[in-house]
Structures are given as structure tokens and as C-alpha cells.
Amino acid sequence: MKFDGQVPVHVAIVMDGNGRWANARGLTRVEGHRAGEAALMDVIEGAIEAGVKYLTVFAFSTENWKRSPEEVKFLMNYNREVLRRRRDELDGWNVRIRWAGRRPKLWPTVIDELLTAEKLTSKNKGLTFTMAVNYGSRIEIVDAINQMLEDSKSGKIKGSVTEKTVQKYLLTKDLPDVDLFIRSSGEQRISNFLLWQSAYAEFVFLDVLWPDFSRKHLFEAIQQYAKRNRRFGGAVDKPKKAKPTTR
Ligand code: FPP
């Protein structure tokens, strides 16, 4: 796949719409999540094909605990199962799997599976695929602030905190800023995903429910991204030549 313009280094995706996809077909929400797995695998392959270096997906948020106990239980089991089933395939694709998330509340067996996948793929140099599981950006920033306060008291942080210091305390400390932020399903929200990291991201919202999403949609989002003019707060003054006015 060739793109006319720059390919984003870091793509973040909110994989939204599984529940609506399932309910529209008379299926239960968990059937929608099941259908989301194939979409995710296709998008990972597409990201590799496109030359994306970092792909980060929202698999379970710190707010998702509010869902029904059945759905929460399903998602916990499913995250673990998908990792176990797919880790060798991803390893074969030279993918480095990473976890971004908090430990409190998260099932220990899910944490174990995430750490096993991280270890197995730690030497891979291809795509870095980060699964955000039990992740929320505000609490990530609050955790970082509390850790910085402690480290300041103990003398580990000397002087004042800079943007670089904050970056080092985030769950995504090894990842570059997000270039392209995609959300499926037609909703146009960030939903507490990578707030600090997406300060200058380009946003693309696609009206496709996640189980129907494929690399084709990723490529469409990258095409849109390639056409954007990223200024990072800067500006260039280029007034158009005024047409001579006739009176
Ligand atoms: C959002 O759709 C999706 C999730 C909260 C879970 C994401 C899980 C997958 C894509 C399954 C496969 C992947 C892994 C990593 C296990 P929603 O439930 O909010 O849908 P709705 O907005 O239609 O209700």
C-alpha cells in the first residue's frame, strides 16, 4: 500500500461499536466482542503493511468496570484468551506486545498473560502493539503526579518537573506521542484515552462499527491523515495575492 504523504508513526484506536453491531443482529453484546477479534488482527497486519511503528488499542478502560458483571467477566476472560491464542502468531509477525494499564482491580490472571506476552515478544523489532487494559488517562496522570510527589520528597526528582519528567511517569513512557487517533462506530469522543499523548494528534472518526472494521479503514484514515497540515501550534503567514479590483 502506497500513501501520498506521511505515514503516522503512532496510531491509537478506540475499537468502538461491538455492542451495537451485535444487538443490531439480535445477538448479545459479548458476541460483538468476539467478532471484534478478527477486525483487530486484520488492523494489526494492515498497520505492519503500512509501515506504522506503534499501534495502541483501547481494550478495557478503567470505566468499563461499570458494565454488567457478565460483560466484565467476559472481557477479562476474553483478553486473556485472545492473548494466549494469538501471541505466537504476533511473535511470528515480529510484533512487540506491550501492556499499558493499572494493576488495581485487574484480574491477576490477565496481568500474568499480558506480562508473558510482553516477555515472549520483548526482542521483536517490528510493530510495537500496546494493549490498553484497565487504562484511563486521568487516573494515569493522577498516579504520575502522586509518584512524582513521592520521588520529589525522597530526592529522586531534583528541581522542578518538566514535560519530559511527566512523560517518564506515564504508563506509556516508552511510546512516542500519538500522531493519528482513530475511533470507529461514528462516536466522536476521546473517552479518557491517551489525553496527554494525543495533545497534537490528528483525529479521524469513521462511521463503521468495530467488527466491520478492517485494514481498508485503517488505510482510509491514514490517507486522511496524510492530507492534513500539522502545525503543532506554529503558523506561516502566506497571504494570497489580492486580485486587482476594477472600479
Ligand atoms: C467497545 O465497544 C469495545 C470494547 C470495550 C472492547 C474491545 C474488545 C475487542 C475489540 C475484542 C477483541 C480484542 C481484544 C484485545 C480482546 P462497545 O462495547 O462500547 O460497543 P457499543 O458502543 O456499541 O456499546
Side-chain angles (χ1 to χ4, degrees):
M1 181 73 195
K2 271 255 167 275
F3 297 97
D4 344 309
Q6 275 222 313
V7 171
V9 174
H10 186 179
V11 176
I13 308 186
V14 178
M15 310 181 285
D16 194 19
N18 292 344
R20 275 166 285 166
W21 181 92
N23 286 171
R25 284 162 178 75
L27 303 169
T28 58
R29 297 179 53 80
V30 301
E31 291 307 321
H33 299 316
R34 272 192 209 287
E37 180 186 345
L40 177 58
M41 292 306 285
D42 195 61
V43 165
I44 295 174
E45 259 195 299
I48 296 168
E49 203 184 307
V52 169
K53 297 281 178 251
Y54 298 86
L55 175 69
T56 305
V57 300
F58 214 175
F60 191 90
S61 84
T62 44
E63 287 74 38
N64 286 154
W65 298 106
K66 290 185 214 148
R67 296 191 173 190
S68 74
E70 296 75 41
E71 188 172 345
V72 166
K73 189 169 166 217
F74 175 85
L75 283 170
M76 284 294 118
N77 279 318
Y78 201 55
N79 268 285
R80 193 177 52 202
E81 188 196 311
V82 168
L83 271 162
R84 196 173 301 166
R85 224 165 358 87
R86 299 289 192 173
R87 66 181 175 219
D88 289 336
E89 196 174 354
L90 293 171
D91 188 35
W93 294 352
N94 199 19
V95 170
R96 189 166 68 118
I97 303 172
R98 304 282 289 152
W99 167 45
R102 303 179 83 229
R103 282 175 179 264
K105 282 199 198 166
L106 188 55
W107 289 16
T109 51
V110 175
I111 297 178
D112 284 351
E113 210 59 56
L114 284 159
L115 298 181
T116 304
E118 277 195 344
K119 206 167 153 208
L120 173 77
T121 60
S122 64
K123 301 251 159 28
N124 291 345
K125 294 277 183 288
L127 176 77
T128 295
F129 169 61
T130 304
M131 279 176 64
V133 185
N134 200 26
Y135 175 90
S137 210
R138 283 191 171 182
I139 192 71
E140 167 191 42
I141 293 168
V142 170
D143 284 345
I145 292 170
N146 283 320
Q147 193 58 51
M148 284 187 280
L149 282 172
E150 257 185 47
D151 288 354
S152 174
K153 269 188 230 145
S154 71
K156 208 170 146 200
I157 292 181
K158 291 171 190 70
S160 53
V161 162
T162 64
E163 288 190 16
K164 268 212 175 105
T165 325
V166 176
Q167 163 75 17
K168 278 192 220 145
Y169 282 78
L170 296 178
L171 292 164
T172 56
K173 54 176 170 291
D174 308 323
L175 306 182
D177 278 357
V178 174
D179 297 301
L180 170 61
F181 186 114
I182 302 171
R183 183 175 188 131
S184 60
S185 92
E187 303 287 356
Q188 304 193 353
R189 284 193 289 278
I190 303 183
S191 296
N192 204 14
F193 192 41
L194 303 172
L195 299 180
W196 175 281
Q197 300 84 340
S198 299
Y200 277 103
E202 294 294 328
F203 287 77
V204 173
F205 300 103
L206 293 174
D207 205 358
V208 181
L209 300 174
W210 181 255
D212 292 328
F213 207 94
S214 70
R215 74 184 76 186
K216 182 185 101 179
H217 302 101
L218 172 70
F219 295 163
E220 191 183 316
I222 294 177
Q223 291 291 22
Q224 284 197 36
Y225 169 88
K227 285 194 207 121
R228 304 260 175 102
N229 174 14
R230 300 184 81 193
R231 292 190 294 277
F232 299 94
V236 183
D237 200 9
K238 270 201 299 196
K240 276 201 182 126
K241 264 213 177 107
K243 282 194 191 130
T245 46
T246 45
R247 276 191 177 220

